[in-house]
Amino acid sequence: MFRTVIICMSDKGAKGEREDLSTKIIEKIALENGYKIIKKILIPDEFELIKETLKNICDNNEADLILTTGGTGFSKRDVTPEATLEVIDKVIPGIPEAIRAYSMTITKRAMLSRAAAGIRKNTLIINMPGSPKAVEESLSFIIDSLTHGLEILVGTSSECARK
C-alpha cells in the first residue's frame, strides 16, 4: 500500500471560492488501486509555498507518491511544474509525456499541459491536470504502470525485465 499525498494548487480553492473536485477524483482512483491517502492539502498557486510543501513531505519521508493537481496551464500564476522541477533529484519525463500522448487522443488541448514528474529522495512527484475530467482520464491511464514504478522506488521489486 503506497503512502500518497494529494496536493491541490488553486488560488480560488484556497480562498473557498471553488470546490476542489479533482482531489476527490484522485483520492477515489488511488483508493480503488490500493493506495493509502496520508493527507490532502489545498494551497494557493505560490511558488515558494509549493516548493516548501513538496520538500517537507519528501524530506520527512511522509509519502511514496505525491500527486498534485492544478497549476500546470498557461496562467501567470500556474507555477506547479517549475516548483516541482526545482525540488526533484531525478526528472521522469515519460510520465507526463504518456499522459499528454494519451490525452491528445481525447483533446488537442492536451498539448498545452506543462506538467512535470520526478523523484526527490524516495518520493515520486507527479503533476496532474487541474480539470476533474482530465485528472480522471490521466490517472486512470497511468495508475497500473505507476504501481510498478513505485515498487521499484521503495524496494519491494527489483525486476524490470519482462518474463
Side-chain angles (χ1 to χ4, degrees), residues 54 58 66 68 84 87-88 116-120 123-127:
L54 293 171
C58 297
I66 299 173
T68 72
T84 300
V87 303
I88 60 175
I119 296 169
R120 179 179 178 93
T123 305
L124 175 60
I125 304 168
I126 303 172
N127 301 154

Side-chain angles (χ1 to χ4, degrees), residues 36-155:
K36 180 179 181 183
I37 306 303
I38 301 299
K39 66 172 106 171
K40 298 178 283 186
I41 302 169
L42 176 59
I43 58 176
D45 290 300
E46 297 288 343
F47 183 77
E48 290 300 325
L49 180 57
I50 295 167
K51 269 181 39 181
E52 288 309 308
T53 302
L54 293 171
K55 284 182 1 184
N56 286 336
I57 294 165
C58 297
D59 294 355
N60 292 313
N61 194 29
E62 292 181 40
D64 305 307
L65 174 65
I66 299 173
L67 295 170
T68 72
T69 179
T72 61
F74 280 22
S75 166
K76 288 185 187 337
R77 301 275 302 154
D78 289 336
V79 294
T80 303
E82 289 76 18
T84 300
L85 291 169
E86 189 140 326
V87 303
I88 60 175
D89 303 317
K90 295 180 180 180
V91 178
I92 312 295
I95 294 172
E97 288 169 3
I99 291 171
R100 282 188 282 271
Y102 171 71
S103 296
M104 284 287 293
T105 67
I106 299 165
T107 176
K108 291 180 183 176
R109 290 186 182 177
M111 72 176 78
L112 303 177
S113 170
R114 300 179 317 100
I119 296 169
R120 179 179 178 93
K121 298 197 176 189
N122 296 311
T123 305
L124 175 60
I125 304 168
I126 303 172
N127 301 154
M128 303 297 298
S131 149
K133 180 180 183 293
V135 82
E136 181 171 19
E137 293 164 353
S138 300
L139 187 54
S140 295
F141 179 70
I142 65 167
I143 196 82
D144 290 338
S145 294
L146 272 189
T147 299
H148 178 66
L150 287 167
E151 288 169 348
I152 300 293
L153 181 62
V154 303

Side-chain angles (χ1 to χ4, degrees), residues 13-30:
K15 291 180 189 173
E17 297 173 358
R18 175 186 296 158
E19 184 181 4
D20 171 22
L21 299 174
S22 294
T23 292
K24 292 176 184 177
I25 292 168
I26 292 172
E27 181 178 30
K28 177 181 178 289
I29 294 168

